[in-house]
Amino acid sequence: HRDIKPENILIGSGTNQGLKLADLGSCRGIYSKQPYTEYISTRWYRAPECLLTDGYYGPEMDMWGAGCVMFEITSLYPLFPGSNEVDQISRIHKVLGVPSPEKLAKFREKGASHISFDFPPEKGIGIPQLIPQVHPDCVDLIVKLLKYDAAERISAREALRHPYFKDIR
């Protein structure tokens, strides 16, 4: 989809209950060749791999967007409301912390020319700290959706099997 955000999620009511994604104008096939367009998705919901590379990202970026939306629904405020791309990365680091040099090296290989990778070490306050009122299963799912490294992020199939959804399975 490449542009998961609250405005692109439609929720049905009455007899037409359900959830649908809208605005498919940015979609790409999963077998399309990289690099993709770097400037994609609304900044606040843009995954680190989209911010830190010149178009080297995959469908995992949609899972990041879903995590940002879940956080916003539970907290009633956006998690990473960056004013530009550098501020966006800074806000992500304030919450998740700056990744290890080894993880950053993966991004640097395909790095975006407009971003410096000289991030000062930062631990991050963590997502659970920001939403203490939320059920632990929901917090756990959001944490798994918002892994900095896309390779560590929960997949859509795994997310649907998560304990948070056990009552509707």
Side-chain angles (χ1 to χ4, degrees), residues 136-151:
D137 284 342
C138 184
V139 174
D140 182 65
L141 179 56
I142 292 170
V143 166
K144 288 177 177 172
L145 288 164
L146 295 175
K147 291 290 184 184
Y148 199 100
D149 186 343

Side-chain angles (χ1 to χ4, degrees), residues 83-144:
S83 57
N84 57 51
E85 289 194 357
V86 173
D87 183 47
Q88 188 69 27
I89 286 293
S90 175
R91 288 174 182 266
I92 291 169
H93 290 166
K94 283 182 187 342
V95 175
L96 301 182
V98 174
S100 69
E102 296 79 31
K103 281 188 187 173
L104 283 176
K106 288 169 54 176
F107 290 102
R108 192 176 283 120
E109 288 174 15
K110 298 175 179 172
S113 51
H114 60 283
I115 297 269
S116 166
F117 282 83
D118 298 326
F119 304 120
E122 189 169 359
K123 185 171 173 19
I125 59 172
I127 292 167
Q129 190 87 354
L130 298 172
I131 47 175
Q133 76 286 4
V134 175
H135 190 280
D137 284 342
C138 184
V139 174
D140 182 65
L141 179 56
I142 292 170
V143 166
K144 288 177 177 172

Side-chain angles (χ1 to χ4, degrees), residues 3 19 31 36 42 86 105 135 137 142 150 154 161:
D3 197 15
L19 197 84
Y31 300 111
Y36 303 123
T42 304
V86 173
H135 190 280
D137 284 342
I142 292 170
I154 194 170
R161 292 184 185 135

Side-chain angles (χ1 to χ4, degrees), residues 13 34 46 50 68 75 79-80 86 88 93 100-101 126 136 155 160:
S13 62
Q34 296 180 340
R46 203 175 294 167
C50 193
C68 290
S75 68
L79 181 55
F80 305 120
V86 173
Q88 188 69 27
H93 290 166
S100 69
S155 71
L160 291 172

